[in-house]
Amino acid sequence: MAAAYKIAVFEGDGIGPEIMAPTMRCLTHLAGDKYTLDYEVLPAGAGHYEQTGNALPDTSIDAARASDAILLSAMGLPRVRYPDGTEITPQIDIRLKLDLFAGVRPVRVTEGQPTPLKLDGHEIDFVLIRESTEGLFHTQGCGEVTQDYARETLQITRKTSEDLFRFTFALAEQRKAAGRGTGRVTCVDKANVFRAFAFFREVFDEVAAGHTDMTSDHAYVDAMALWMVEKPWAFDVMVTENMFGDILSDLGAGLMGGLGLAPSADIGHDNAVFQPCHGSAPDIAGKGVANPFAMMLSGAMMLDWLGLRTSNADMVSDGARLDGAVRKVIAKGDVMTRDLGGSAGTDAAAEAVLSAL
């Protein structure tokens, strides 16, 4: 009997449902009769908050926790906000509730892929690991605000940092074994100014000492922002704090040609969420022009993670097939969505990927 997997699905807001549907079609097509993906669509998001006053029902988070993997599309609507003026962000709430401490943001530019950089024959293939549960996001929604000042608190803990760095070195080892990386891990911080980041670097060095087969080094975040533009091909795996990772991952998306090509995962010990890095783009919702590529690439990451986790070689292979199909369409360049300089709609882009499969 074919293995069956429970996949929790959050369709999201704005263009979210429009890019989730073709991604699920591709995943189902790949599964065939080799394994079964049982989807459960769960309510959450800014639209749900607007209707019910609850952005993430307990029943939804419980179902997500019990699933084998979580697919999450773009969430949030700028016009829908909490009473304190902040946006609805259940995607962040899910990370906290499920302790998804490792935010995985791959940055890859292969031959034929559009990029604003002049690569001179180089290809870009590195992964940015963003701690996703603390850092400067620690007091989100409960920072101190008075008439005269506002204050948020950055938190870095030893346990989360150790978990994060162990995950990072394990990923670097996987990439090196697969011929994808050099075994170099770079800690990105601001240890020259903040004691919290000096602590972050200290914990990194302690974990790195147990991985003598790998190369470990450090970079200040401002220098890394420069080097990601000047020589992005020089890096393999980078790990950083939550806010720094939030900013640098968007820079990485820019190297790839835009957020429409930027997949991501947030991974913990027991659960993992796979979602595109871009927003819900309500201005184009319902027009059939949204770019589904980042959502599809996130689906490919899900297959790879779940396949490795359950020793299912078919899933790992299918993850690589889906990733390759999307990149083949992008490199060919004749079916590109509006954000990538083309005129293709969501359906045409999705059909091109299905054809490539």
Side-chain angles (χ1 to χ4, degrees):
M1 180 180 293
Y5 301 91
K6 295 180 181 178
I7 309 299
V9 175
F10 292 95
E11 293 182 309
D13 300 301
I15 63 171
E18 299 174 53
I19 60 175
M20 179 64 80
T23 298
M24 292 167 66
R25 286 203 305 273
C26 286
L27 294 172
T28 300
H29 169 79
L30 284 163
D33 57 5
K34 297 173 295 187
Y35 52 88
T36 301
L37 300 177
D38 294 326
Y39 301 112
E40 182 179 8
V41 178
L42 303 171
H48 190 72
Y49 175 84
E50 193 172 34
Q51 295 173 3
T52 67
N54 188 350
L56 183 62
D58 290 340
T59 52
S60 292
I61 196 66
D62 290 343
R65 183 181 285 109
S67 69
D68 293 300
I70 304 162
L71 273 178
L72 188 151
S73 197
M75 278 196 179
L77 295 169
R79 62 178 174 78
V80 181
R81 296 176 179 264
Y82 290 117
D84 66 359
T86 58
E87 287 193 32
I88 311 297
T89 54
Q91 64 272 30
I92 297 178
D93 299 334
I94 291 171
R95 295 173 198 164
L96 297 175
K97 290 178 181 293
L98 301 184
D99 193 25
L100 308 181
F101 55 85
V104 181
R105 309 294 188 263
V107 178
R108 191 176 179 194
V109 179
T110 54
E111 186 177 356
Q113 182 173 331
T115 173
L117 298 184
K118 184 177 180 181
L119 297 181
D120 292 328
H122 292 286
E123 290 194 353
I124 302 172
D125 186 358
F126 68 83
V127 180
L128 176 67
I129 309 294
R130 164 192 176 185
E131 195 289 312
S132 293
T133 61
E134 47 185 40
L136 195 54
F137 282 70
H138 170 63
T139 51
Q140 183 189 14
C142 55
E144 184 180 353
V145 179
T146 73
Q147 184 176 351
D148 300 312
Y149 72 91
R151 177 166 55 198
E152 302 282 357
T153 302
L154 180 148
Q155 175 175 292
I156 292 174
T157 64
R158 174 172 290 277
K159 180 184 183 305
T160 296
S161 298
E162 287 177 343
D163 287 345
L164 176 73
F165 297 141
R166 291 189 188 106
F167 177 94
T168 300
F169 277 97
L171 179 63
E173 287 167 348
Q174 290 174 11
R175 282 171 54 83
K176 186 177 181 180
R180 289 280 302 280
T182 60
R184 177 185 182 185
V185 180
T186 305
C187 179
V188 182
D189 56 47
K190 197 65 178 171
N192 57 329
V193 176
F194 297 103
R195 294 179 65 187
F197 285 111
F199 172 75
F200 188 74
R201 178 178 289 201
E202 177 184 327
V203 177
F204 172 82
D205 287 341
E206 291 173 5
V207 175
H211 296 271
T212 55
D213 56 326
M214 310 295 283
T215 300
S216 62
D217 57 11
H218 315 96
Y220 297 136
V221 64
D222 45 338
M224 180 55 72
L226 173 67
W227 294 334
M228 281 178 63
V229 175
E230 284 190 339
K231 52 178 182 179
W233 49 83
F235 298 99
D236 182 11
V237 179
M238 297 179 284
V239 60
T240 191
E241 176 269 343
N242 205 340
M243 179 60 81
F244 290 166
D246 190 23
I247 296 167
L248 291 180
S249 62
D250 272 21
L251 175 54
L255 303 182
M256 294 188 286
L259 287 168
L261 301 178
S264 77
D266 289 287
I267 300 173
H269 293 300
D270 301 313
N271 300 98
V273 168
F274 301 86
Q275 67 181 109
C277 288
H278 59 72
S280 62
D283 57 317
I284 61 170
K287 297 180 180 180
V289 298
N291 180 350
F293 293 149
M295 185 75 246
M296 291 178 169
L297 290 169
S298 300
M301 291 179 70
M302 182 193 77
L303 291 180
D304 181 71
W305 176 82
L306 193 50
L308 290 172
R309 184 178 176 86
T310 62
S311 300
N312 189 323
D314 286 329
M315 296 190 88
V316 174
S317 175
D318 287 343
R321 285 182 61 200
L322 180 53
D323 183 274
V326 174
R327 297 188 187 282
K328 180 178 179 181
V329 171
I330 295 166
K332 191 174 181 182
D334 57 346
V335 185
M336 301 291 269
T337 50
R338 198 167 67 181
D339 59 307
L340 300 176
S343 58
T346 307
D347 289 343
E351 288 302 319
V353 173
L354 280 168
S355 296
L357 287 171

